[in-house]
Amino acid sequence: MKLSKEEVLKLAKLSRLQLSDAEIARFQDEISAILSYVQQLDDIDTTGLSATYQVTGLTSQDDNATRDDVITEQASYESLMKNVSEQEGRHIKVKRMIA
Amino acid sequence: MTEIADTPVWDSIQVLAARVQSGESSATELVNDALARIKQHAEFQSIIATTADRARQRAKQIDDLVASDKNAGRLAGVPFIAKDNFLAFGSETTAASNMLKGFDASYQATAIEKLEAEGAICVAKANLDAFAHGASTENSDYFTTKNPHDSSRVPGGSSGGSGAAVALRLTPFALGTDTGGSIRLPASYCGVVGYKPSYGLVSRSGVIAMASSTDVIGPLAATVEDAALVLDVMAGQDPLDGTTIERQKSYVSQPRTKKSPRVGIIKEYFEDGIDEHVANTVKKAADRLASSGAELIEISLPSLPLALAAYYIIVPAEISSNLGRYDGQRFGHSAASTQATTLTDSYEQTRQQGFGNEAKRRIMTGTYVLSSGYYDAYYKKAQTVRTKIINDFNDAFAKVDFLLGPVAPTVAFKIGAMADPLSMYLLDIMTVAVSMAGLPAVSVPCGTAHDLPVGLQLIGQYKQDAELLSLAQQFEEMT
């Protein structure tokens, strides 16, 4: 299989990436090769098997991992805000959401 | 093979800590030794940054504890290096990515906290493939680490900085992460012990996520004994990581469960594609294990060759989701304050600038296999094949106690030799199945091929890490 340029652009958009033209061509080839490789699973018979999404078995009501919802000071407000790119007052400032 | 273990060669972790506790040596000396070695071996580029100032302060605290006759912990004063995808104080935490360049952690990984609580001291952060995506450290956004045994070759990856650091004896141990082989492969290529615990045994709180259904944390060390001690300190449930499982009582003083364990040699791993010399070295290692009392049985797990295809669907899917958080607003590289006019623009430019090729490739592959119309054919199918693989392991463990095979089909390759991404992915062929099933596995040095180190992979049953470590130690004592 070979992804079209349009398909790569759609993937880039869904992935929130603005690709250069060179990258589009490159990923067209490389992602196509990866998808062709993994397509070998098409021929594998999995009748009667269900999917495994996790291996710990921690899923039932009894053993689901919950904890009390208590406030801790694992990270302070100041320590969290020091990595923010733009700030106004005590808040994170972001760009306009609706163009 | 170059002899690299020159002075000072670290004694066992237990001995080092006992000497600090008794006052025979000091934490400050050990930290200074480690920092001097890091400087001395800088040309291998295993380290992104040191945490020297904080390490020296912590060493002083440990020495003060000892001076006032207080218990300084089981790892008192023992220096270590953490892969740079562990959040830690004392330097930035970058995951070797441009996206997190300059990132200043607001809290530390639980694993680091637990080691520090027992007196260990983090002295540096090790290089990796950016966000742990790779098998050689060539995908690091900064530089490629060189293999200590041959500097024209890769150290393996993604925990390549950690593997090289332990091979160079910069510190007695280092921390790595393993999603599909990232501890075992560099351990094999660098000739050190690399331990991948059962999924969920060590908390991942504060470790930068790659693929959450297979990510684990583990030690790289000079001996199985040292790796077991580090695991013993880190293992156990953590309220900050809901996937953690109950630990076994001890990982350090395991009684031998069986006089003659049954060990299955995985037939599929010795078939097509394996270097003949690597196969011979591993087979000889298996024979040594047999001479120590193990009963060897050849065993077939027919679904294992499918694991790589399933892995390269599931893992990119989880990566695309986990890397969604890098939007340039709260932390990390940001295009927010410059060119962008809308929020979407700012996301797209941030991610375009901050992610390298491999991250982009995996994000888009993951987005593809999760997208509507393809989800059932790719993602769900892969998770069903995963069940098939787990069933194969279960069938095998009905007949044997452990499984054995190589870690990788070849020895460390030349820097730049794996030009296309798919051939790099194929290096994981012997490690990913274990990750998909969540099993514990260890790479133990077992000899050389082409004058370079080869690792023996021993695989245990889920949640039976103590038994696996015991077998690994039994093997190590033979060599």
Side-chain angles (χ1 to χ4, degrees), chain A residues 13-91:
Chain A
K13 193 172 165 55
L14 289 170
S15 307
R16 294 278 189 261
L17 293 165
Q18 274 179 9
L19 301 181
S20 67
D21 287 343
E23 283 178 314
I24 294 166
R26 174 188 187 145
F27 291 136
Q28 235 183 301
D29 290 340
E30 290 173 349
I31 297 173
S32 299
I34 294 163
L35 292 173
S36 301
Y37 175 78
V38 301
Q39 264 171 358
Q40 61 177 283
L41 298 188
D42 287 355
D43 305 329
I44 306 305
D45 182 16
T46 50
T47 320
L49 294 176
S50 53
T52 299
Y53 294 101
Q54 57 85 35
V55 297
T56 57
L58 300 170
T59 49
S60 73
Q61 286 290 348
D62 297 332
D63 58 13
N64 203 358
T66 58
R67 59 176 164 79
D68 291 336
D69 186 16
V70 288
I71 295 170
T72 61
E73 265 276 324
Q74 191 198 9
S76 66
Y77 168 85
E78 288 72 24
S79 74
L80 288 165
M81 291 301 280
K82 70 192 169 188
N83 289 301
V84 164
S85 67
E86 240 187 316
Q87 198 173 339
E88 196 167 297
R90 280 176 59 81
H91 305 288

Side-chain angles (χ1 to χ4, degrees), chain B residues 10 16 18-19 40 55 91 106 111 129 136 228 245-246 276 303-304 309 347 381 428 454-455:
Chain B
W10 303 101
L16 289 170
R19 276 203 212 116
Q40 185 192 343
S91 76
S106 49
D129 292 287
S136 68
I245 57 174
E246 211 172 310
E276 196 190 325
S303 303
L304 252 51
Y347 291 159
K381 179 80 185 192
D428 295 336
V454 173

Side-chain angles (χ1 to χ4, degrees), chain B residues 352-405:
Chain B
Q352 170 63 11
Q353 296 160 8
F355 287 131
N357 280 327
E358 188 58 35
K360 287 177 186 172
R361 199 151 41 227
R362 294 192 187 201
I363 289 169
M364 288 197 289
T365 307
T367 301
Y368 183 89
V369 299
L370 288 174
S371 56
S372 140
Y374 298 110
Y375 176 89
D376 280 352
Y378 288 95
Y379 188 68
K380 197 169 176 207
K381 179 80 185 192
Q383 297 284 37
T384 311
V385 170
R386 183 180 196 170
T387 307
K388 214 175 164 72
I389 292 159
I390 292 170
N391 289 347
D392 268 14
F393 276 118
N394 289 340
D395 290 346
F397 284 127
K399 296 175 207 134
V400 296
D401 305 306
F402 303 97
L403 292 166
L404 170 159

Side-chain angles (χ1 to χ4, degrees), chain B residues 135-214:
Chain B
S136 68
T137 74
E138 291 168 293
N139 290 335
S140 167
D141 286 346
Y142 305 153
F143 45 77
T144 299
T145 299
K146 294 165 183 161
N147 191 309
H149 299 277
D150 176 350
S151 59
S152 69
R153 293 173 189 271
V154 303
S158 64
S159 311
S162 304
V166 174
L168 292 164
R169 305 283 185 264
L170 303 185
T171 51
F173 74 95
L175 296 182
T177 58
D178 190 316
T179 302
S182 281
I183 287 174
R184 289 163 283 163
L185 187 68
S188 176
Y189 281 7
C190 293
V192 302
V193 173
Y195 191 77
K196 175 220 175 285
S198 288
Y199 178 80
L201 186 58
V202 180
S203 168
R204 299 171 298 176
S205 173
V207 175
I208 293 162
M210 178 177 159
S212 302
S213 82
T214 66

